[in-house]
Amino acid sequence: MPKRKSNDPFGFGDFGFGSFDIGLGSNSKSVRSKPSSDSDIFGFDFGFGDFGPKKIAKSYTFADNKVRGKTAEGMTALNHTLQGHEVTKIHKGGDFIIKDRHGNTTIVEVKTGKAKLSEAQRRKKARLGNRRYKVERYY
């Protein structure tokens, strides 16, 4: 196997294209792909807007918060199940309906960090009261 001239393990060059020919016949030109910058992906501007470091960092933060929220919901469900409560996942107005051994039902909303209740969640909490609508926080 011939030795490669660069550290590129696959021998693709900048983005896998290296240089390529444009045109036909004697008027063809060899064109090199441009190096990437912060405002475009892999040296090509696809017209989707800015994907700079701040945008990428924000998307990682969002993904991290989403995973943290799902983990907290799983911990809440496990905790109440181990206490002998019946746990039902709901999709509107809260995360879970918890029925204890005495038959009392409570709606539980799980929040992580400094997350706030949405307007609909605040209205539901005001309507049901603090005993029937609980907010469990994980930090």
Side-chain angles (χ1 to χ4, degrees):
M1 188 163 176
K3 197 161 188 133
R4 290 192 174 88
K5 295 179 184 176
S6 69
N7 290 333
D8 186 13
F10 301 108
F12 288 138
D14 284 343
F15 177 61
F17 299 123
S19 62
F20 50 93
D21 291 332
I22 296 177
L24 298 171
S26 62
N27 292 334
S28 67
K29 297 178 182 179
S30 181
V31 177
R32 186 91 177 138
S33 62
K34 68 178 184 171
S36 68
S37 68
D38 289 340
S39 64
D40 50 45
I41 300 175
F42 303 116
F44 297 97
D45 186 9
F46 294 103
F48 295 124
D50 183 26
F51 285 101
K54 288 182 182 178
K55 182 88 171 187
I56 291 171
K58 192 173 189 179
S59 69
Y60 283 130
T61 302
F62 179 73
D64 186 44
N65 289 344
K66 195 172 180 182
V67 169
R68 196 172 300 172
K70 291 290 183 187
T71 304
E73 286 180 8
M75 289 170 52
T76 299
L78 178 64
N79 186 21
H80 284 284
T81 302
L82 290 175
Q83 291 177 16
H85 301 159
E86 183 182 324
V87 179
T88 307
K89 174 85 172 135
I90 57 175
H91 300 286
K92 269 191 169 178
D95 290 325
F96 299 104
I97 294 178
I98 309 289
K99 186 182 254 187
D100 65 5
R101 290 180 238 146
H102 306 294
N104 301 329
T105 59
T106 305
I107 295 178
V108 175
E109 176 64 35
V110 180
K111 294 290 182 185
T112 59
K114 296 179 181 178
K116 298 177 181 176
L117 291 174
S118 69
E119 182 63 34
Q121 291 167 345
R122 274 185 266 147
R123 280 185 275 159
K124 189 159 194 169
K125 183 177 180 178
R127 191 174 72 235
L128 294 175
N130 287 336
R131 288 189 180 189
R132 294 191 54 216
Y133 191 96
K134 302 269 186 200
V135 178
E136 291 191 10
R137 293 203 169 267
Y138 290 87
Y139 293 97

